[in-house]
């Protein structure tokens, strides 16, 4: 919107606390300053007023923007390092799945609601008699059994509803139920798709790849051996071209 107003010659001057905060990164604010120079728009911060059509003023703004971008990157790096150090001690608060809550000392404990505890234990017991997450979801649907689904960004917090397959897969494969505190189970990377950069995330399957993996961190719902057996069952249900070792649904 601001770029459009500048190109329509409706803006004489842009006021800001800091000129480098007009955009998120160097290409964005360089484009803005270029347009301001073409359309005679001034830029002002708390120190002075800049005429971007003058090379000295444009150079000064570019230096300020570069320094501010470096400072922001340094802040992100320090914050990330602090979070990883706290996670390495098992003290970083993470989003907990249903069945666990934080106590007064920020320790992970079983949910005091016995109905929630029983629902989690029943989920693992029911999965022992199934061969896939889809069958587990169908069992809940056929019996109309409600399950606690945690929604942290809503007012309800935890709601009771028929669980979806994606929800059950996330819970069955979550190591927290085996008493393991983890951090860094996913990895982010950038792809170039359709002429633009796209940020993607992939889940790291091996415990050696996780940044933090602390066994016997809190009270468990299932043993570590049972957790490993559940992962093996999930792996058997994945579609593979070799049909001899595929227990998943029949495909083309």
């Amino acid at each position: 919107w601001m770029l459009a107003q500048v190109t329509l010659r409706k803006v004489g001057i842009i006021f800001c606390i800091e000129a480098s905060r007009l955009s998120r990164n160097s290409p964005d604010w360089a484009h803005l300053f270029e347009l301001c120079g073409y359309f005679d728009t001034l830029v002002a911060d708390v120190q002075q007023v800049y005429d971007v059509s003058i090379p000295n003023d444009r150079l000064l703004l570019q230096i300020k923007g570069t320094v501010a971008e470096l400072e922001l990157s340094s802040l992100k790096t320090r914050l990330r390092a602090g979070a990883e150090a706290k996670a390495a001690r098992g003290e970083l608060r993470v989003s907990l799945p249903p069945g666990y809550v934080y106590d007064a000392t920020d320790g992970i404990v079983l949910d005091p609601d016995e109905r929630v505890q029983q629902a989690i234990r029943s989920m693992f017991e029911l999965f022992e008699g199934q061969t896939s997450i889809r069958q587990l979801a169908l069992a809940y649907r056929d019996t109309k059994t409600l399950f606690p689904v945690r929604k942290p960004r809503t007012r309800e917090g935890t709601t009771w509803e028929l669980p979806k397959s994606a929800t059950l897969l996330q819970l069955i494969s979550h190591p927290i139920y085996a008493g393991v505190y983890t951090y860094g189970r996913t990895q982010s990377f950038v792809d170039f798709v359709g002429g633009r950069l796209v940020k993607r995330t992939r889940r790291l399957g091996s415990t050696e790849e996780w940044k933090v993996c602390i066994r016997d961190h809190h009270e468990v719902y299932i043993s570590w051996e049972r957790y490993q057996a559940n992962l093996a069952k999930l792996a058997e249900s994945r579609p593979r071209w070799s049909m001899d070792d595929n227990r998943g649904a029949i495909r083309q």
Side-chain angles (χ1 to χ4, degrees), residues 95-240:
S95 179
L96 297 178
Y100 286 106
V101 296
Y102 284 106
D103 61 10
T105 61
D106 285 344
I108 300 178
V109 297
L110 298 183
D111 194 315
D113 190 336
E114 294 185 359
R115 184 187 177 193
V116 174
Q117 292 186 29
Q118 183 59 38
I120 299 299
R121 293 190 175 95
S122 297
M123 175 188 68
F124 288 108
E125 293 173 1
L126 187 60
F127 186 62
E128 285 190 348
Q130 310 295 336
T131 58
S132 67
I133 290 294
R134 181 177 180 274
Q135 288 187 357
L136 179 62
L138 291 177
Y140 276 98
R141 187 199 65 179
D142 294 341
T143 59
K144 294 182 173 55
T145 302
L146 300 182
F147 187 84
V149 177
R150 182 159 293 174
K151 299 180 179 180
R153 297 183 180 180
T154 62
R155 293 182 178 179
E156 294 83 2
T158 300
T159 60
W160 290 83
E161 57 188 52
L162 292 177
K164 299 179 181 178
S165 298
T167 301
L168 294 173
L169 175 60
Q170 183 180 12
L171 298 182
I172 292 291
S173 60
H174 205 309
I176 193 172
Y177 293 111
V180 182
Y181 178 92
T182 60
Y183 178 80
R185 292 194 300 133
T186 60
Q187 182 182 50
S188 299
F189 60 96
V190 177
D191 273 346
F192 191 74
V193 181
R196 64 190 183 92
L197 298 176
V198 179
K199 186 176 181 180
R200 301 186 186 278
T201 302
R202 73 180 185 92
R203 186 170 295 279
L204 303 176
S206 173
T207 57
E208 289 76 13
E209 296 179 294
W210 300 347
K211 292 183 179 179
V212 178
C213 179
I214 303 176
R215 299 272 296 272
D216 301 324
H217 180 266
H218 49 267
E219 194 171 352
V220 305
Y221 280 95
I222 58 175
S223 64
W224 176 256
E225 291 73 20
R226 187 173 175 185
Y227 167 72
Q228 293 290 339
N230 289 341
L231 291 185
K233 183 183 293 188
L234 293 176
E236 290 177 351
S237 300
R238 294 193 185 101
R240 286 168 287 182

Side-chain angles (χ1 to χ4, degrees), residues 78-93:
R78 287 198 294 268
L79 289 172
R80 189 181 303 111
E84 291 179 356
K86 196 171 184 178
R89 302 190 301 267
E91 299 174 357
L92 182 66
R93 287 178 65 101

